[in-house]
Amino acid sequence: MTMNVLLTGGAGYIGSHTAIELLDMGHSVVIVDNFSNSKPEALNRIREITGKNFKFFEADVCDSAAMDKLFSENEIECVIHFAGLKAVGESCAIPVKYYRNNIDSTLTLLETMKKHGVNNFVFSSSATVYGDSDKMPLTEDMPTLTSGSPYGRTKLMIEQILTDACSADPELSVVLLRYFNPIGAHKSGRIGEDPSGIPNNLMPYISQVAVGKLPKLGIFGNDYPTPDGTCVRDYIHVVDLAKGHAKAIDYAASHKGAEAFNLGTGVGYSVLDIVNSFIKVNGIDLKYEFQPRRAGDIPECYSDPSKAERELGWKAERTIEDMCRDSWNWQKNNPNGLN
Ligand code: NAD
Ligand code: UFG
């Protein structure tokens, strides 16, 4: 069944890749974004890659009047809420802005959806809601924790708000997608992760060192209780993640209530595994040095993704080699990102 899907934050990294998957499958897409962390060029690239058009609204999702107008002018059947601020460190410096943006946008959407009779909601949550659990792999029934950053707490609070909204409204259907570590890019090399300023996350940092924009990678800690001493994460190709959203909108349309799913591969790779794979797959050199641990990092974090396979019919297919190859293909073809 094809649907008319609203993608908030659809000009961003995960939203743009999801837009491509949905358009390729024949869904209609409407995007709203305020470009607080993305560029209009992303929209041109989505059109170029898919050969399909979609409606775009430049607006803040916290703006009720703008959202009301959007829902009045479009027969939205499902909302995927990507829009949000996502930098862990920044969220400690400007927490109020993070709470205002991430929570207010969600509340505004819930109110507007109710008014317009839209019942299907997919939310970009994060593995961060598990806090620093020492049991791995993580399953959806494990307790969620409030340790971590204001960013992480916005995700946890939003999960709770959405769950409460479902308890009170038997028509509402919410899918909470707990992403692990998305990396990689569309195989065309025309869209990818385009962080502003110096990247916080591992793969964009590696790519920018490889392309010569940054002198060397600092590996934060090599004395963790992991096989090689560096932190272990569950990296997932962004295209696999995007495909998970296509399954999630089908699930939302045929279920009621709130349900959480891990979207990961179930395999943990260390920072050194990623660095070595990037060097090998792409045949390039990469300068790095070990540095002290980064505050807030946990030694290991990886998913049990079996619930998503069982109930959504989704499984990550792309390998770590695919992720490293596609990240580099994007970066080398767009050394300055999307301009
Ligand atoms: P991104 O910053 O590339 O995309 C988010 C988009 O939302 C941007 O285009 C930004 O301009 C837009 N936006 C933000 N606030 C807005 C608002 N109030 N109104 C309209 N547009 C707004 O981030 P991403 O990596 O694509 O992440 C998408 C979602 O997934 C976010 O909610 C993020 O917290 C979550 N997530 C990301 C990761 C990750 O590692 N990338 C991991 C777990 C969860
Ligand atoms: N790392 C380095 N050097 C860098 C950047 C990162 O060694 O320059 C290391 C980190 O210490 C960590 C690993 O690479 O061990 C991954 O770090 P990222 O910053 O790429 O990702 P995180 O696992 O810290 O966080 C990501 C998202 C968060 C989300 C979290 C859990 O950025 O938004 O996954 O889902 F909350």
Side-chain angles (χ1 to χ4, degrees):
M1 188 181 65
T2 57
M3 276 184 267
N4 197 20
V5 190
L6 174 65
L7 274 55
T8 75
Y13 174 46
I14 304 169
S16 58
H17 286 83
T18 302
I20 290 170
E21 290 307 313
L22 297 182
L23 287 165
D24 280 348
M25 292 172 74
H27 293 288
S28 297
V29 164
V30 177
I31 291 180
V32 56
D33 204 299
N34 63 1
F35 299 126
S36 58
N37 196 38
S38 54
K39 300 197 187 97
E41 178 60 16
L43 305 174
N44 298 333
R45 303 275 174 107
I46 298 170
R47 293 190 179 99
E48 173 199 305
I49 290 168
T50 61
K52 295 195 175 141
N53 209 351
F54 54 85
K55 281 200 197 165
F56 172 70
F57 291 78
E58 183 170 350
D60 188 322
V61 183
C62 302
D63 179 343
S64 299
M67 289 305 103
D68 190 42
K69 185 165 184 288
L70 189 160
F71 278 75
S72 299
E73 291 173 3
N74 297 277
E75 290 281 320
I76 303 296
E77 295 172 280
C78 184
V79 176
I80 310 182
H81 185 29
F82 297 101
L85 300 174
K86 64 162 186 176
V88 174
E90 187 184 65
S91 78
C92 299
I94 46 170
V96 177
K97 190 168 177 191
Y98 270 65
Y99 287 115
R100 168 65 72 195
N101 189 71
N102 293 3
I103 293 174
D104 198 357
S105 59
T106 308
L107 295 174
T108 302
L109 284 170
L110 281 173
E111 287 169 350
T112 315
M113 287 169 63
K114 180 93 176 161
K115 181 172 172 195
H116 293 268
V118 180
N119 290 316
N120 301 320
F121 194 106
V122 176
F123 176 59
S124 295
S125 190
S126 166
T128 192
V129 299
Y130 294 111
D132 49 8
S133 167
D134 50 11
K135 276 207 209 104
M136 296 292 152
L138 295 159
T139 54
E140 291 84 348
D141 55 5
M142 283 183 178
T144 49
L145 300 171
T146 52
S147 65
S149 63
Y151 163 73
R153 282 188 282 278
T154 69
K155 293 294 176 193
L156 193 55
M157 287 177 192
I158 294 168
E159 284 204 1
Q160 288 164 343
I161 290 167
L162 291 168
T163 305
D164 287 344
C166 278
S167 304
D169 180 353
E171 291 305 309
L172 193 59
S173 173
V174 168
V175 181
L176 307 169
L177 296 179
R178 294 177 178 163
Y179 309 155
F180 282 70
N181 288 53
I183 59 172
H186 189 265
K187 64 178 180 328
S188 64
R190 297 291 288 159
I191 59 164
E193 190 169 10
D194 183 19
S196 47
I198 296 178
N200 295 306
N201 298 115
L202 180 63
M203 187 51 92
Y205 207 106
I206 289 178
S207 307
Q208 292 199 14
V209 172
V211 86
K213 288 181 75 178
L214 293 167
K216 62 178 165 231
L217 171 73
I219 295 181
F220 301 141
N222 62 345
D223 56 352
Y224 284 98
T226 59
D228 65 22
T230 66
C231 291
V232 167
R233 296 288 182 273
D234 185 342
Y235 296 93
I236 173 168
H237 197 295
V238 67
V239 173
D240 279 331
L241 193 66
K243 288 177 184 294
H245 292 76
K247 298 290 189 182
I249 62 172
D250 286 346
Y251 182 93
S254 56
H255 288 75
K256 299 292 171 207
E259 205 63 50
F261 294 96
N262 288 338
L263 293 187
T265 64
V267 182
Y269 287 102
S270 73
V271 177
L272 275 176
D273 288 334
I274 300 293
V275 167
N276 290 330
S277 176
F278 192 94
I279 292 172
K280 188 162 171 226
V281 167
N282 297 315
I284 48 166
D285 199 17
L286 194 77
K287 274 201 188 143
Y288 65 84
E289 67 179 18
F290 293 113
Q291 291 181 2
R293 291 181 177 195
R294 182 172 69 177
D297 278 345
I298 53 175
E300 283 193 315
C301 176
Y302 56 92
S303 67
D304 175 343
S306 59
K307 182 178 175 190
E309 183 171 9
R310 220 168 38 243
E311 296 185 31
L312 297 180
W314 172 89
K315 193 176 189 299
E317 289 169 350
R318 287 161 181 75
T319 63
I320 201 69
E321 287 79 17
D322 297 329
M323 300 182 214
C324 290
R325 187 183 313 107
D326 292 340
S327 289
W328 177 231
N329 186 39
W330 150 251
Q331 184 72 67
K332 73 169 185 241
N333 286 309
N334 304 268
N336 297 313
L338 291 169
N339 283 301

